[in-house]
Amino acid sequence: MKIQIQDQSLRVRLDESELARLLDGQPVQNQTRLVGQGIWSQTVQLNEQALPQVCGSAEALLLTLPRDAVTALSARLPCRDGLGWELAAADEVLRLQLDVDVRDSVRQRGVQRRTDATVTPTG
């Protein structure tokens, strides 16, 4: 799991194995041991609610994402478009983005053929 934090934006990028663990009901965690300061962790899990939740503390962040949305994302992989939400955070908005590494998806699933394109005969 890769975490990118900048201003009021939080991006989580998973690989296929992490996505599979999430869909199996297991949390996915990232931990960084800071010298003399303890552990900084971010945990992602799924639940049945319609909107994500961000809670915990700056040292131990917990992201709870909607299972239905993540399952739908999994069904359309590989793709570059992930999931995005805007969450109220005090006086500001926190933009939350979930992506699955497209290169890993292509390696695991192969290239998905587009079936929604119109085919024009070249008669």
Side-chain angles (χ1 to χ4, degrees):
M1 175 169 57
K2 294 182 175 138
I3 306 288
Q4 181 180 358
I5 301 170
Q6 183 175 356
D7 298 326
Q8 285 302 110
S9 178
L10 175 60
R11 179 180 181 223
V12 177
R13 188 172 71 183
L14 303 174
D15 63 26
E16 283 281 342
S17 65
E18 293 164 331
L19 176 63
R21 288 199 323 257
L22 268 183
L23 293 172
D24 282 343
Q26 301 172 36
V28 176
Q29 188 172 61
N30 179 62
Q31 289 187 335
T32 303
R33 287 172 182 22
L34 303 171
V35 177
Q37 302 296 315
I39 297 173
W40 184 30
S41 69
Q42 303 85 37
T43 302
V44 177
Q45 65 185 19
L46 301 181
N47 73 8
E48 304 308 319
Q49 296 181 2
L51 293 174
Q53 297 175 342
V54 179
C55 58
S57 66
E59 295 85 17
L61 186 65
L62 175 62
L63 303 172
T64 304
L65 304 177
R67 177 178 300 284
D68 289 346
V70 175
T71 300
L73 172 63
S74 177
R76 60 184 170 90
L77 293 175
C79 67
R80 293 188 189 277
D81 299 324
L83 300 172
W85 298 272
E86 290 189 350
L87 306 173
D91 295 342
E92 298 186 56
V93 171
L94 174 66
R95 286 175 298 286
L96 175 60
Q97 177 76 28
L98 173 68
D99 296 314
V100 178
D101 186 312
V102 72
R103 284 174 270 156
D104 187 46
S105 288
V106 168
R107 280 192 298 273
Q108 300 294 322
R109 298 172 185 242
V111 176
Q112 184 177 32
R113 301 288 181 218
R114 295 187 70 122
T115 58
D116 58 349
T118 303
V119 177
T120 306
T122 59

